[in-house]
Amino acid sequence: MAQQTEAVRRPPLNRDRVLRAAVALADEIGIEALSMRKLAQELGVVPMALYKHVANKDQLLDGMVDVVVGEIDLPAPESDWKSAVRQRILSARRALQGHSWAAQVVRSRARPTPVVLAYMDSVIGIFRTGGFSVDLTHHVMHTLGSRVLGFTQELFDASPSPAPEAQAVLVPADAGQFPYVTELAMAVAHDEESVVGQGCDDQFEFEFALDLLLDGFERLRQQRWTSANPSGEKTV
Amino acid sequence: MAQQTEAVRRPPLNRDRVLRAAVALADEIGIEALSMRKLAQELGVVPMALYKHVANKDQLLDGMVDVVVGEIDLPAPESDWKSAVRQRILSARRALQGHSWAAQVVRSRARPTPVVLAYMDSVIGIFRTGGFSVDLTHHVMHTLGSRVLGFTQELFDASPSPAPEAQAVLVPADAGQFPYVTELAMAVAHDEESVVGQGCDDQFEFEFALDLLLDGFERLRQQRWTSANPSGEKTV
DNA sequence: ACCTGAACACCGTTCAAGT
DNA sequence: ACCTGAACACCGTTCAAGT
């Protein structure tokens, strides 16, 4: 009956409250532990009550992505295309990084929601108004891939690994077996004494790749690259 | 008793047979439908019998990745770094594309297996013997990210979507709401009349991004880029 | 209109036992 | 050494019913 008192006191459930509770719960216990049943319990409600506000778990995950994308800063008003794209993408990165599960959930979605489409539309718009042809914009967006939402697909995440283990993975016991991996891992370990010893500086790697791509885009734009005439220039 | 006869006839289970059956079953029914229970049934065995050969489902997935990575061609003997890297990565791409679930499983793994480490070692080796410093190789491998195994993280996969639906997603009903998305989608639809009408040419996009990155790498190598001196050249 | 309870058809994995 | 059977602690989602 204590439970009934709680039930009376709580505000009526709605889609927004469900989504925000899901985001908070995933932040806390991780995405793999998030279940409809646990979310319901957190909201003091029976599991099936959630299904009045989200059609199923997939729609719940879509909604959670929308909450995160809603945290991305609005585009800067006046700037060249390159710094405008940079600003948006690095802001997306900050938003995604605030929720450790977000990148993983984004890449698991089959289709973009309207909220995500609106964000992508604004990035495409920066390229178009910045002098990129539709054709070049198309391929440039493909090249960016997941980077447009502020994350890159590393080959291995190792996110749920205890910190001390990290070094042991990069420098395997049998160092002779993978000489180039070992050489690289040792150089990284040495190099980064200043940093917390975490290994690689994610932010640096992200910006390195982003800038390499943006510089390549600028070169293609200047050459008036088209997919019909990849060598550029000559047709002008 | 018919079942008992089958049981007698079948060769004894081993890790290799389990992994290969898992790969074949995932090819057939998809990775989300692959369960320890169904795999056991496929092998004519009780679920718990599998646990003598793989520690748990994570180790089964690791082993499945190893099977796919084992299908990547050996490196070409004599060639410049750029075509050698290109050849390996495009071969990895072919291997991964033979198993629709593979990219998704690779990116879900926390740590590389020895088989995957050996493949990465060989790619790192191409850069090192091709004149890249350890430092530059490190950042270049990060830039490649999942591309080193032949896939890129598109923002939305839409892989399990029926073909006719594809166009409807790219050209939303309310076209005015996302003008740049719409413009781009219409250009793509127009442009690709020659192709099956599937929308984007994945292979073209993959090679466009790969070549953009490889060209950027070559430029940095020539400038003697280092992370300590990103502008390059001057220190030489 | 919103929430509930019981049930269905699944999971991965444990334990103790069989051959 | 290898396989089995039963059980445990979960899932997402259905259906029919309550208020």
Side-chain angles (χ1 to χ4, degrees):
Chain A
M1 35 186 80
Q3 237 177 333
Q4 279 204 350
T5 311
E6 296 263 24
V8 167
R9 196 167 299 160
R10 73 163 189 267
L13 228 48
N14 60 41
R15 191 180 150 86
D16 215 67
R17 253 173 51 77
V18 168
L19 295 184
R20 275 214 283 265
V23 166
L25 188 56
D27 286 349
E28 198 184 331
I29 67 173
I31 195 69
E32 70 294 328
L34 179 77
S35 68
M36 297 299 274
R37 296 169 114 107
K38 278 190 199 146
L39 177 56
Q41 195 180 13
E42 193 74 11
L43 287 161
V45 112
V46 95
M48 278 317 296
L50 300 176
Y51 285 79
K52 287 283 129 156
H53 303 102
V54 290
N56 49 38
K57 195 176 181 185
D58 264 355
Q59 235 190 55
L60 177 77
L61 293 171
D62 277 344
M64 291 170 70
V65 170
D66 286 352
V67 170
V68 175
V69 170
E71 294 172 2
I72 302 174
D73 293 333
L74 292 179
E78 309 270 345
S79 46
D80 60 309
W81 74 263
K82 208 189 263 189
S83 55
V85 168
R86 235 184 101 89
Q87 178 257 332
R88 284 237 90 181
I89 292 184
L90 291 179
S91 170
R93 181 170 171 78
R94 274 190 299 275
L96 277 263
Q97 281 187 156
H99 308 280
S100 57
W101 45 269
Q104 181 180 157
V105 172
V106 165
R107 73 193 187 206
S108 78
R109 304 296 76 213
R111 300 178 184 300
T113 62
V115 170
V116 175
L117 269 181
Y119 168 75
M120 300 213 331
D121 196 68
S122 93
V123 176
I124 295 172
I126 296 171
F127 282 115
R128 291 291 292 118
T129 59
F132 283 64
S133 70
V134 174
D135 179 44
L136 182 53
T137 301
H138 169 215
H139 300 300
V140 141
M141 289 296 291
H142 270 286
T143 301
L144 280 174
S146 64
R147 208 171 267 111
V148 79
L149 266 179
F151 70 97
T152 44
Q153 181 57 50
E154 298 283 339
L155 214 37
F156 298 97
D157 283 347
S159 22
S161 77
E165 232 190 303
Q167 216 66 297
V169 174
L170 276 177
V171 187
D174 43 359
Q177 208 175 339
F178 310 115
Y180 292 113
V181 167
T182 307
E183 175 192 55
L184 202 150
M186 304 244 296
V188 171
H190 241 248
D191 206 59
E192 242 115 337
E193 279 159 8
S194 50
V195 195
V196 211
Q198 243 286 35
C200 302
D201 182 342
D202 280 357
Q203 186 68 25
F204 183 90
E205 299 309 334
F206 186 84
E207 296 195 15
F208 175 88
L210 178 57
D211 289 335
L212 190 68
L213 290 163
L214 293 179
D215 288 348
F217 300 165
E218 174 66 16
R219 212 167 283 116
L220 293 176
R221 190 185 65 79
Q222 280 171 5
Q223 305 173 181
R224 291 177 164 65
W225 181 97
T226 71
S227 54
N229 178 33
S231 46
E233 209 86 72
K234 280 167 273 177
T235 27
V236 186
Chain B
M1 36 184 84
Q3 239 178 330
Q4 281 206 347
T5 311
E6 296 262 25
V8 167
R9 197 168 298 159
R10 72 163 190 269
L13 229 48
N14 60 40
R15 190 180 150 87
D16 216 68
R17 253 174 50 78
V18 169
L19 295 183
R20 276 212 284 266
V23 166
L25 188 56
D27 286 349
E28 198 184 330
I29 66 173
I31 196 68
E32 71 294 329
L34 178 76
S35 69
M36 297 297 274
R37 295 169 115 108
K38 278 189 199 148
L39 177 56
Q41 196 179 13
E42 193 75 11
L43 287 162
V45 113
V46 93
M48 279 316 297
L50 301 175
Y51 286 80
K52 286 285 127 155
H53 303 103
V54 291
N56 50 39
K57 194 176 182 185
D58 264 356
Q59 234 190 57
L60 177 78
L61 293 171
D62 277 343
M64 291 169 70
V65 170
D66 286 353
V67 170
V68 176
V69 170
E71 294 171 2
I72 302 174
D73 293 334
L74 292 177
E78 309 269 345
S79 46
D80 60 309
W81 75 263
K82 207 189 262 188
S83 54
V85 167
R86 233 184 104 89
Q87 177 256 332
R88 284 237 89 183
I89 291 183
L90 291 178
S91 170
R93 180 170 172 80
R94 276 190 299 275
L96 278 263
Q97 280 187 156
H99 308 280
S100 56
W101 45 270
Q104 180 179 159
V105 172
V106 165
R107 71 191 187 207
S108 78
R109 304 296 75 213
R111 298 177 184 301
T113 63
V115 170
V116 175
L117 269 181
Y119 169 73
M120 300 210 335
D121 196 68
S122 94
V123 176
I124 295 172
I126 296 172
F127 283 115
R128 291 292 290 121
T129 60
F132 283 64
S133 69
V134 174
D135 180 45
L136 182 53
T137 301
H138 170 215
H139 300 299
V140 142
M141 289 296 291
H142 271 287
T143 301
L144 281 174
S146 65
R147 209 172 266 113
V148 78
L149 266 178
F151 69 97
T152 44
Q153 182 56 52
E154 299 284 340
L155 214 36
F156 297 98
D157 283 346
S159 21
S161 77
E165 232 190 303
Q167 215 67 295
V169 174
L170 277 177
V171 187
D174 41 359
Q177 207 175 340
F178 311 114
Y180 291 113
V181 166
T182 307
E183 175 192 54
L184 201 151
M186 304 244 295
V188 171
H190 240 248
D191 206 59
E192 240 113 340
E193 280 159 8
S194 51
V195 194
V196 211
Q198 243 287 36
C200 302
D201 182 342
D202 280 356
Q203 187 67 26
F204 182 90
E205 299 309 334
F206 186 84
E207 296 195 15
F208 175 87
L210 178 57
D211 289 335
L212 190 68
L213 290 162
L214 293 179
D215 288 349
F217 300 166
E218 175 65 16
R219 211 167 286 115
L220 294 177
R221 191 186 63 79
Q222 280 171 6
Q223 303 172 182
R224 291 176 165 65
W225 182 96
T226 70
S227 53
N229 179 34
S231 46
E233 210 85 72
K234 280 167 271 175
T235 27
V236 187

